[in-house]
Each structure stands twice: as C-alpha cells, then as structure tokens.
C-alpha cells in the first residue's frame, strides 16, 4: 500500500506536497519521493525513510515549480531498496514521472513484453516501473511529437487494456501537466480536490481526502473506476472515462485498516464505517455470548478505537485505554519482514497495569492478519494481570492472499488460513475469539449515498474481482515470496542520470533513474 499526491498550483507546490505526504504517511513508511517541474526542468528528491527524514531544507529549496507529484511507499515484497523509491522517471516521450499505489497481477507477462516487443529497459522489479513504461510507450505511439489531451486519454485506455490488477496512478508529463487514473475496478482509491486562490484555481489528486483537508482543498469527488483526469499547466481539468469501469468494487480493507478515519473514500466516511463495524460486532458478541463476563473493553490502538468504543457502548461495559502507543514506531503491519514486526510490537505498545489487573478484558482490534501482533498483545495483557483475555476482530478472518497491493500475498503467513476460530484463539492465546461476519462488514461500510456495486473482499472470501487469479498464480506468488525471504538484500544501484532531471547532489540519494 502506498500514498500518492499531485498538485497543479499557482505558487510553489513543494511544501504542499510535503505536507500532504506527511498526512498520508500511514500508507507507507519505507520510502518517500517528490518531483516538481519548473520551466520545463524536473527536480527530484527520493530516498528510503519517513517524509520528515527524506526531505531536509536543502532538498526542499531545490524542489522548485508550481507543478509536482509525491509518493510514500511501503514494500509489498518484504524488502526495502532505495532503487525502488518513487516517483520513477523516463525521458521519452516528453519526460514522465510516475507514482503508483497498488499491484499488477500480470507483471511477469508485462515485463517480458516490454523488453522483447516495446524495447523498453527495466531497471527494477517494481510494477510501478512497468506501469510507467507501458504508459510512456503508448503515449509515444500516439503523440507524433506533439501532445494533445486526447492522446493522454487514449494512452491511459491502452494501459487499462494491457495492465491488470489494482492501481491508482499519478504522473507528471513535463511541459504539459499531471494525469491521474484508477484501475477499471476502482480497487485502489484516488480523489480530486479544488482550491480557489487570488491567483486562480488549483487542483490536487490524492489517495485520501484527508490530504486535501490538510491543504485547504475542497473534495470535488473520487476519480471513477477506469477514469483519467488531466490537469494542464493553466489549471484546466479534463476528464475521460477511458473505456469506463469494469465494475465499481473498491478494496474493503481500506475501510477496515489502511485509511485514516477522517477520510472519505468513494463517498463513504471511514469513521462512520468503523462506528457501524463496532455496532455489528457488539450484536454478534451479544448473540454468541449473551452471558459474557466482560469487565472492560480495551482497543488496540489506533485503528480499532472507533469500533471498540461502539462495542463497549452497545454491550454496556466500561471502555478504557489500556495500551499507550509509542508514536515514533511505525505501523507493524506495513513493516518489511516478519522479524521486524515481532521486534516492534513491544516497543510500540505498553500496557497500563491498572486497567488489566484482576479483570476480564475484551481486546478489540481492526483485524487479525498474521497473528503475530495479536499474540504478543494478549501476552502483555496477561502479564499486566488480566484474569481472562477475550479478543474481537472488527473484520472477518483473513484467510486468502491479497494480490492488489496489500502485503499479504502468501496464504501460509495468514493465521486464519485453514484454521477455525477456536484454533486461531488457541494459537494467539485468547480465552475466546470472535470475528465480524463478512455480510455485516459489507453492510457497515456501504451506505445509500455511495454508488458501490460491491467490494473487493478477496482477502476474506477468496473471490478476486479482476477474474484473472488462479490457484497456480497464487502458488507461484507464494513460492516467489518464500524465495525472496531467503534472498540476499540487493545492493544499492549506483545513480545515473538520463534526461534533464535535477536530483539533489547527495551521493547517497542518486537513485537509479531512467
């Protein structure tokens, strides 16, 4: 999962993009990057690390221009490489920089075709680089040396024909403007914002509406499935359906975990969704455990707080904050590698003994994925003196791999895969465990004002909306995941330049760019 942003402004956009990326930091803590354009010249800074660490004052001063895009990344392959920090760049045609959120399911096939037939050079294993090269190749074949808005839209249409999977993309075309588009199922999110200034209208694209709020942009609407949005240097906005949607099926896990509660995605309030998740979960607890002996409901911060509060309210028991979170430790779910996740849980959370001692505690979390965090948190609750520890998940069991950009590609890593609720409870050490039911979760997220046909529920149901995922594909994905875990970390690639891109002069930041 990653975060993207693009701004076409009337004044320098470097600070605005930086601020937007800090707001989207929850979507990726592995690497960050910004590209801006100033009078036909591109300026880039990208590196591994948090936004605050990647961009220092000297970098910001070099990011000149009123047009730019930004990206925060987390690695879906379990490793971290500076050569895969985004945005990526190609110098032909025109000079294009691209940032991407999601995952292509036909990456291996695309990579072969790009090299053999399109004669494109690929420098990383990132599917974002594949997307960039497909888009660049198609745009070059259409533009004939001059760029028309219709050329951009036809190129996006060709990307949809060639690329499968879930993706939200923002790209800067040097000398022309910014284009953004979503996959034809709308799996990964993107929103459009607008701001009026004395100098004129400014537009913004972002993964979540909270980034628009932080910069004072008004949420116009979501980018529709398959749709492309182009904003030229004069601030004019053009849209095209680019073949239209295949379906309208956004990722359900965005509402469960990834998105910030103050975001609105696909016209759905994430906060309200999580409130309804808590209500539905409380009703299920009441049905299954009518004689429960729960003394206190405690959330596992931060994502589950909203649901946990509603659970406590509906059950009529106390709600307490039992864990204090260290704000300087990243989200363990999106950390690269299981070993790092294990080390980070106890450094991230500390139990307040008074809230646990001698009590029957219901811990509420947004979901249980690998079970590593849940197991350690239950141990912490017992060490703090809890008499019994019950566990409730606001999401159904995660039993199947996610192939659209969330780091759960191997079924063997998922604690609920092939196990009953009782078996999972025993494994994580809970006295009893209760999961949300999938129909209840869908009802909690959907509402009357959202034009959602259905959701991508693949990690819960094993049903993949793109229709191209086979058992063989999943087996190959798990095998490659296993191989990658034993592979030696890639050495950083020495930097080189290709085209008029100005990066900062720090030797450690000369990312491999094309």
């Amino acid at each position: 999962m990653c975060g993207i942003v693009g701004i076409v402004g009337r004044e320098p956009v470097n600070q605005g993009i930086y601020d937007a990326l800090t707001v989207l930091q929850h979507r990726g803590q592995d690497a960050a990057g910004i590209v801006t354009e100033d009078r036909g010249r591109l300026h880039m800074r990208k590196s591994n690390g948090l936004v605050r660490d990647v961009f220092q004052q000297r970098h910001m001063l070099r990011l000149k221009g009123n047009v730019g895009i930004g990206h925060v990344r987390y690695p879906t392959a379990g490793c971290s490489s500076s050569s895969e920090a985004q945005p990526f760049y190609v110098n032909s045609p025109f000079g294009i920089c691209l940032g991407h959120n999601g995952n292509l399911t036909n990456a291996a096939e695309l990579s072969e075709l790009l090299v053999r037939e399109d004669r494109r050079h690929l420098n990383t294993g990132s599917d974002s680089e594949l997307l960039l090269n497909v888009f660049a190749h198609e745009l070059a074949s259409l533009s004939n040396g001059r760029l028309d808005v219709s050329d951009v839209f036809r190129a996006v249409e060709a990307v949809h024909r060639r690329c499968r999977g879930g993706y939200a993309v923002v790209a800067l075309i040097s000398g022309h403007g910014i284009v953004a588009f979503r996959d034809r199922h709308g799996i990964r999110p993107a929103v459009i914002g607008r701001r009026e200034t004395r100098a004129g209208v400014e537009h913004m694209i972002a993964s979540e509406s909270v980034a628009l709020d932080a910069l004072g942009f008004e949420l116009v609407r979501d980018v529709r499935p398959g749709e492309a949005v182009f904003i030229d240097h004069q601030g004019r906005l053009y849209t095209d359906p680019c073949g239209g949607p295949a379906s309208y099926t956004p990722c359900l896990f965005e509402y469960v975990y990834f998105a910030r509660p103050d975001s609105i995605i696909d016209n759905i309030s994430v906060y309200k969704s999580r409130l309804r998740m808590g209500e539905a979960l409380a009703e299920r607890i009441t049905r299954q455990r009518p004689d429960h002996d729960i003394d206190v409901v405690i959330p596992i911060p931060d994502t589950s707080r909203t649901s946990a509060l509603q659970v406590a309210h509906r059950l009529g028991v106390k709600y307490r904050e039992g864990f204090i979170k260290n704000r300087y430790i990243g989200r363990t779910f999106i950390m690269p590698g299981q070993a790092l996740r294990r080390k980070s849980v106890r450094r991230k959370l500390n139990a307040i003994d008074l809230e646990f001692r001698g009590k029957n505690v219901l811990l509420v979390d947004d979901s249980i994925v690998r079970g590593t965090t849940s197991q350690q948190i239950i141990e912490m609750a017992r060490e703090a003196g809890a008499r019994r520890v019950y566990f409730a998940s606001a999401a159904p069991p995660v039993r199947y791999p996610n192939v659209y950009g969330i780091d759960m590609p191997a079924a063997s890593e998922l604690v609920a895969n092939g196990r009953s609720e009782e078996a999972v409870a025993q494994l994580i050490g809970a006295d009893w465990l209760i999961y949300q039911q999938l129909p209840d979760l869908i009802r909690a997220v959907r509402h009357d004002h959202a034009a959602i046909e259905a959701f991508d529920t693949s990690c819960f149901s094993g049903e993949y909306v793109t229709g191209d995922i086979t058992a063989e594909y999943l087996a190959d994905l798990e095998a490659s995941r296993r191989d990658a875990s034993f592979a030696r970390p890639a050495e950083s690639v020495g930097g080189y330049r290709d085209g008029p891109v100005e990066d900062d002069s720090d030797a450690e930041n000369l990312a491999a760019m094309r």
Side-chain angles (χ1 to χ4, degrees):
M1 191 63 62
C2 301
I4 58 172
V5 60
I7 301 176
V8 176
R10 300 291 179 172
E11 297 178 347
V13 296
N14 53 352
Q15 187 65 49
I17 295 175
Y18 175 95
D19 292 341
L21 292 182
T22 61
V23 173
L24 296 175
Q25 185 77 86
H26 61 284
R27 300 187 68 87
Q29 300 165 1
D30 177 63
I34 294 175
V35 174
T36 60
E37 182 189 356
D38 180 39
R39 291 174 290 186
R41 195 163 185 85
L42 299 176
H43 308 271
M44 177 182 287
R45 165 65 181 174
K46 60 177 182 176
S47 186
N48 282 3
L50 300 176
V51 174
R52 68 179 183 225
D53 299 321
V54 170
F55 302 102
Q56 305 301 318
Q57 184 178 17
R58 67 183 186 278
H59 307 130
M60 297 297 290
L61 291 173
R62 291 169 181 150
L63 293 170
K64 301 174 183 178
N66 298 350
V67 179
I69 64 174
H71 186 271
V72 287
R73 172 186 181 267
Y74 96 103
T76 56
C79 64
S80 176
S81 171
S82 60
S83 66
E84 295 193 6
Q86 298 181 41
F88 284 110
Y89 167 76
V90 290
N91 69 346
S92 177
F94 309 109
I96 304 173
C97 297
L98 179 144
H100 156 237
N101 171 33
N103 188 61
L104 300 183
T105 56
N106 63 332
E109 173 191 336
L110 266 180
S111 179
E112 183 181 342
L113 289 172
L114 278 166
V115 172
R116 189 181 71 240
E117 297 184 6
D118 296 350
R119 299 294 189 264
R120 308 292 298 192
H121 170 70
L122 301 174
N123 200 55
T124 73
S126 171
D127 53 1
S128 302
E129 191 183 16
L130 295 177
L131 262 169
L132 172 58
N133 277 276
V134 171
F135 178 65
H137 175 80
E138 297 298 336
L139 194 60
S141 66
L142 290 164
S143 61
N144 293 319
R146 300 185 63 183
L147 185 69
D148 186 81
V149 175
S150 62
D151 296 332
V152 176
F153 293 146
R154 298 296 74 76
V156 172
E157 209 170 323
V159 170
H160 291 328
R161 287 196 300 269
R162 298 183 64 180
C163 298
R164 299 196 301 268
Y167 49 89
V169 173
V170 62
L172 187 159
I173 305 174
S174 180
H176 296 87
I178 284 176
V179 60
F181 54 92
R182 291 173 80 180
D183 65 84
R184 295 184 64 231
H185 299 273
I187 298 171
R188 301 269 69 91
V191 296
I192 307 168
R194 185 178 188 273
R195 180 172 70 182
E196 292 191 13
T197 69
R198 290 181 179 178
V201 175
E202 300 178 322
H203 287 96
M204 179 175 175
I205 303 292
S207 291
E208 296 182 31
S209 66
V210 67
L212 308 181
D213 298 338
L215 272 65
F217 280 77
E218 175 191 358
L219 173 61
V220 176
R221 61 176 177 84
D222 298 272
V223 179
R224 300 184 181 98
E227 182 183 37
V229 175
F230 182 75
I231 309 160
D232 68 17
H233 277 192
Q234 288 70 48
R236 294 173 297 215
L237 186 144
Y238 306 85
T239 65
D240 191 280
C242 293
S247 63
Y248 200 163
T249 48
C251 175
L252 194 57
F253 208 70
E254 286 277 358
Y255 302 92
V256 170
Y257 175 82
F258 269 104
R260 272 184 40 157
D262 44 345
S263 282
I264 296 173
I265 299 176
D266 291 304
N267 204 30
I268 296 171
S269 165
V270 177
Y271 175 75
K272 290 286 188 180
S273 296
R274 291 177 184 167
L275 283 176
R276 293 190 290 264
M277 289 177 206
E279 293 169 359
L281 187 58
E283 291 172 7
R284 180 161 167 75
I285 293 170
T286 302
R287 289 195 304 270
Q288 286 206 347
R289 303 275 177 173
D291 301 320
H292 69 78
D293 58 351
I294 301 167
D295 296 317
V296 61
V297 172
I298 292 177
I300 297 172
D302 287 316
T303 324
S304 63
R305 279 199 174 101
T306 309
S307 297
L309 188 61
Q310 285 300 97
V311 169
H313 177 71
R314 287 297 180 100
L315 294 181
V317 300
K318 293 178 181 178
Y319 170 90
R320 292 290 185 268
E321 293 286 339
F323 294 103
I324 300 302
K325 183 176 180 180
N326 180 349
R327 300 284 173 187
Y328 304 99
I329 299 291
R331 301 178 89 179
T332 52
F333 176 81
I334 62 176
M335 284 183 173
Q338 188 76 327
L340 187 55
R341 293 185 193 98
R342 291 193 186 100
K343 291 179 182 178
S344 297
V345 173
R346 286 180 178 266
R347 287 183 290 179
K348 184 175 74 168
L349 296 177
N350 188 47
I352 302 175
D353 291 9
L354 292 175
E355 298 299 346
F356 291 93
R357 194 173 302 138
K359 297 176 183 177
N360 298 330
V361 178
L362 175 65
L363 300 179
V364 178
D365 206 353
D366 53 79
S367 58
I368 306 171
V369 180
R370 297 169 179 87
T372 308
T373 300
S374 305
Q375 184 182 43
Q376 292 187 54
I377 287 174
I378 290 171
E379 288 175 2
M380 291 170 66
R382 294 195 189 281
E383 290 168 5
R387 186 166 60 241
R388 293 188 180 89
V389 181
Y390 312 129
F391 206 95
S393 168
V398 177
R399 301 189 189 278
Y400 305 94
N402 183 287
V403 299
Y404 302 128
I406 298 178
D407 189 25
M408 39 172 116
S412 60
E413 295 181 13
L414 307 175
V415 69
N417 181 261
R419 293 188 178 96
S420 64
E421 288 188 19
E422 293 75 17
V424 175
Q426 185 175 7
L427 195 63
I428 66 175
D431 290 291
W432 56 257
L433 166 68
I434 194 162
Y435 280 104
Q436 186 88 266
Q437 291 184 307
L438 183 56
D440 290 339
L441 176 61
I442 292 172
R443 279 192 293 270
V445 177
R446 179 190 282 134
H447 71 96
D448 294 340
H449 302 295
I452 304 298
E453 300 171 10
F455 292 94
D456 167 52
T457 62
S458 54
C459 59
F460 306 121
S461 65
E463 299 172 2
Y464 297 91
V465 297
T466 52
D468 60 336
I469 306 303
T470 63
E472 291 76 16
Y473 177 90
L474 295 176
D476 289 345
L477 189 65
E478 180 151 0
S480 64
R481 169 83 166 193
R482 191 162 50 245
D483 292 343
S485 68
F486 291 103
R488 184 169 177 263
E491 298 294 333
S492 59
V493 180
Y496 62 93
R497 299 172 189 268
D498 187 1
V501 177
E502 283 193 359
D503 203 350
D504 67 65
S505 58
D506 299 336
E508 73 274 14
N509 186 55
L510 290 175
M513 296 186 301
R514 298 178 50 253

